[in-house]
Amino acid sequence: MTNAPPQKRSASIDWNARFHTLAAQAEHPLLKRFYEAGVVGAETPLEHVEMLAMDVETTGLNAKADGVVSIGLLPFTLKRIRCGEALYWLINPLSELRGESVTFHHITHSDILNAPQLPDVLETLLEAMAGKVIVVHYRTIERGFLDQSLRRHIGEGLQFPVIDTMQLEARMHRKQRGWIDRLFRRPLLSIRLADSRMRYNLPQYHAHHALTDALATAELLQAQIANHYVPSIAVGELWD
């Protein structure tokens, strides 16, 4: 393991500029307010960044056809996870629950019968996200589903910067994979959330609960930074 930060990527997104543009384009007042809150500059040291771990559970894997059934949020920094400020919602999706998704997240039709729909929690959700860098494990789910779900409900999508702990884990293992591994075609290590946590001796949690997975993701990022990076690394080196 090394504490040296990785080589700087050349195509880091200027999220400050993007938020300025999105604020001018947004029609929904809650989205406009969210974008107007802005985001930290890409050069900001990660140790000074307020982050929000996020996990969503869904009815399937197709963001254009499936929906969100739960959301877990947990604010944190590199030094502290603020469990007392956690937020969790069951969400009534527009799409039907599928049997195989229920076996993962254990959210049933009776659980969501009287649950709010996504627009009902949108104000609180965006207030929690405002000004923070979102941390997820596999950005395609959280960013894709929130964007598509809001498009269906209010006609506008949602964009925001994320640090993806799965992407960081994949990046580190690509660097560490030697020529002998490639020669003998040894399989790549799993970068699933639970498997990634095991490599840092983090405790095992019950998977596929949005709030528990948000906590697991926050802890994983803290461990990744402590073992492979330095706290002063610029957030723009890690976000997408």
Side-chain angles (χ1 to χ4, degrees):
M1 295 182 180
T2 177
N3 285 323
Q7 188 175 5
K8 185 175 181 179
R9 294 180 295 161
S10 59
S12 181
I13 297 172
D14 184 347
W15 278 103
N16 269 307
R18 178 169 289 191
F19 267 42
H20 181 76
T21 300
L22 290 169
Q25 296 173 344
E27 297 182 5
H28 196 287
L30 294 180
L31 289 180
K32 182 176 289 290
R33 187 192 310 169
F34 169 72
Y35 292 129
E36 287 175 346
V39 68
V40 297
E43 73 286 350
T44 307
L46 190 63
E47 60 190 337
H48 298 151
V49 173
E50 290 287 333
M51 294 173 281
L52 186 73
M54 172 188 290
D55 185 80
V56 303
E57 297 297 322
T58 65
T59 61
L61 298 176
N62 184 347
K64 292 185 177 180
D66 297 311
V68 174
V69 292
S70 66
I71 304 173
L73 303 176
L74 196 60
F76 75 107
T77 65
L78 285 184
K79 291 184 177 180
R80 182 184 178 194
I81 298 175
R82 300 197 294 275
C83 293
E85 299 175 32
L87 293 171
Y88 175 75
W89 297 280
L90 288 173
I91 302 294
N92 193 335
L94 294 177
S95 57
E96 288 291 322
L97 292 179
R98 296 181 181 179
E100 62 182 70
S101 69
V102 172
T103 63
F104 279 101
H105 50 60
H106 303 294
I107 296 171
T108 66
H109 289 88
S110 61
D111 292 325
I112 64 171
L113 182 62
N114 297 311
Q117 293 190 346
L118 187 57
D120 299 324
V121 305
L122 183 59
E123 183 172 10
T124 306
L125 172 64
L126 292 180
E127 284 177 353
M129 294 173 62
K132 297 183 179 68
V133 175
I134 311 305
V135 180
V136 303
H137 195 79
Y138 190 45
R139 65 187 182 275
T140 300
I141 296 294
E142 280 73 23
R143 198 151 61 180
F145 269 85
L146 287 181
D147 178 69
Q148 290 297 325
S149 294
L150 286 181
R151 289 182 188 279
R152 289 195 294 270
H153 282 289
I154 66 174
E156 293 183 75
L158 178 63
Q159 298 183 41
F160 51 90
V162 298
I163 295 175
D164 183 353
T165 53
M166 176 180 276
Q167 182 186 45
L168 295 186
E169 201 69 11
R171 191 189 307 175
M172 288 182 287
H173 289 301
R174 281 197 302 266
K175 288 176 61 178
Q176 294 171 359
R177 186 173 171 80
W179 67 270
I180 294 180
D181 296 317
R182 294 190 293 271
L183 177 64
F184 289 98
R185 298 182 180 179
R186 292 172 179 165
L188 293 170
L189 292 174
S190 169
I191 53 175
R192 295 170 65 92
L193 181 56
D195 295 327
S196 297
R197 286 173 57 84
M198 286 181 64
R199 286 190 284 274
Y200 300 93
N201 296 314
L202 294 170
Q204 294 299 299
Y205 297 145
H206 180 73
H208 301 297
H209 185 285
L211 190 53
T212 304
D213 282 354
L215 173 60
T217 300
E219 291 177 344
L220 177 58
L221 180 68
Q222 289 178 330
Q224 288 173 326
I225 300 303
N227 283 272
H228 299 287
Y229 297 88
V230 292
S232 60
I233 186 172
V235 66
E237 297 292 325
L238 302 175
W239 72 18
D240 177 70

